[in-house]
Amino acid sequence: MGRCIVVIPTYNESENLPLLLPKVLAQDPRIEVLVVDDDSPDGTGKLADALAQDEPRIHVLHRAEKQGLGPAYREGMLRALELGADTVVQMDADFSHPPETLGTMLAEIERHDVVMGSRYLNGITVVNWPIERILLSYFGNWYVRRVTGMPITDTTGGFRCIRRAALERVGLERIRANGYAFQVELNYRLIHSGADVEEIPFFFLDRTRGASKLTVRIGLEALWMAWWLRIARALGRL
């Protein structure tokens, strides 16, 4: 596998970050972390710098302002490639993506181009969400699958491990989505670039610290992105 860099975007995650990073690094000695902070008012960026001073496997990328999840991941992944990553992992900072799943991801990535964590591969493995949010997410995924034809169960998920070559084929600079639609667009581009994709189940745990960044506007962008991708590919403009 070589060098693995876990990209973690942050905005006001000072409660979670010092608890999460040691757990991530403990999963495998080859793992490093890149924190991408959007100038968090609660001092998350400064906290990340302090943690990096004591741990050489932690890197920090500071961005001038909050510009959305998509740009944060895009810039973070490009920096991870610059740092020499052989594989790049996307992971949220709020413990919704359990660090313990990283071991399975790193084992599976030896045989695949992309390993995606899925909340819907074996039923619905979401913990502590209200029923209306579960239904919105589940049927939103069904809608995106129907529109795009993607052969995966969790089209909006953002917990994945990607080989360097697969990311380079996609061309991160071409991705235009800003919010959670970034997940839909990246999944679509990976699949249509010929990547060998494997899904693994995991339990998605709702955050217990900090506030969610999900809004109605962000959700609608993901639904609109499904049609944009389908039309763009049909016109040869993807």
Side-chain angles (χ1 to χ4, degrees):
M1 180 196 72
R3 192 175 182 186
C4 173
I5 297 183
V6 179
V7 178
I8 303 177
T10 57
Y11 186 78
N12 288 348
E13 295 288 358
S14 60
E15 294 181 88
N16 286 310
L17 201 66
L19 302 175
L20 177 66
L21 297 194
K23 288 183 177 294
V24 170
L25 295 175
Q27 302 307 310
D28 193 292
R30 297 168 294 179
I31 289 177
E32 301 173 42
V33 172
L34 172 62
V35 177
V36 183
D37 187 68
D38 278 7
D39 195 28
S40 297
D42 74 343
T44 301
K46 292 180 180 179
L47 176 60
D49 286 335
L51 293 170
Q53 285 185 346
D54 298 325
E55 174 53 75
R57 293 161 64 196
I58 297 175
H59 313 276
V60 186
L61 173 60
H62 294 280
R63 285 159 36 93
E65 59 184 355
K66 186 179 181 183
Q67 299 171 10
L69 185 68
Y73 264 132
R74 188 164 54 241
E75 193 169 338
M77 288 177 162
L78 288 169
R79 177 62 62 86
L81 294 179
E82 290 175 359
L83 290 171
D86 297 298
T87 57
V88 177
V89 173
Q90 283 184 258
M91 189 173 190
D92 289 347
D94 59 4
F95 281 96
S96 59
H97 299 154
E100 294 76 15
T101 305
L102 289 171
T104 303
M105 280 189 162
L106 297 187
E108 291 295 326
I109 200 65
E110 299 286 354
R111 299 184 293 275
H112 305 281
D113 295 319
V114 183
V115 179
M116 295 183 178
S118 172
R119 298 165 290 179
Y120 305 114
L121 186 62
N122 296 334
I124 301 175
T125 52
V126 176
V127 180
N128 291 336
W129 264 10
I131 187 63
E132 60 270 18
R133 188 169 178 185
I134 291 176
L135 291 173
L136 181 64
S137 175
Y138 182 83
F139 286 107
N141 267 283
W142 174 85
Y143 174 87
V144 172
R145 284 199 308 273
R146 288 297 300 269
V147 173
T148 63
M150 282 193 280
I152 55 176
T153 64
D154 198 346
T155 59
T156 60
F159 190 22
R160 57 170 79 83
C161 181
I162 312 170
R163 283 182 176 270
R164 180 187 189 95
L167 271 180
E168 290 175 337
R169 284 197 303 270
V170 164
L172 288 166
E173 67 283 352
R174 296 200 299 269
I175 296 180
R176 55 181 288 171
N178 289 326
Y180 283 84
F182 173 84
Q183 317 295 11
V184 175
E185 183 173 358
L186 180 55
N187 283 336
Y188 190 86
R189 290 182 181 274
L190 284 167
I191 288 168
H192 287 286
S193 69
D196 172 22
V197 178
E198 172 75 2
E199 283 191 285
I200 61 172
F202 79 101
F203 280 93
F204 181 95
L205 309 174
D206 195 18
R207 67 162 64 236
T208 58
R209 291 172 294 271
S212 173
K213 316 303 187 298
L214 183 62
T215 65
V216 173
R217 179 182 176 184
I218 289 173
L220 291 175
E221 182 197 11
L223 299 182
W224 170 85
M225 178 55 64
W227 281 106
W228 182 89
L229 290 167
R230 179 172 172 173
I231 295 168
R233 185 164 185 262
L235 296 176
R237 297 178 181 177
L238 191 61

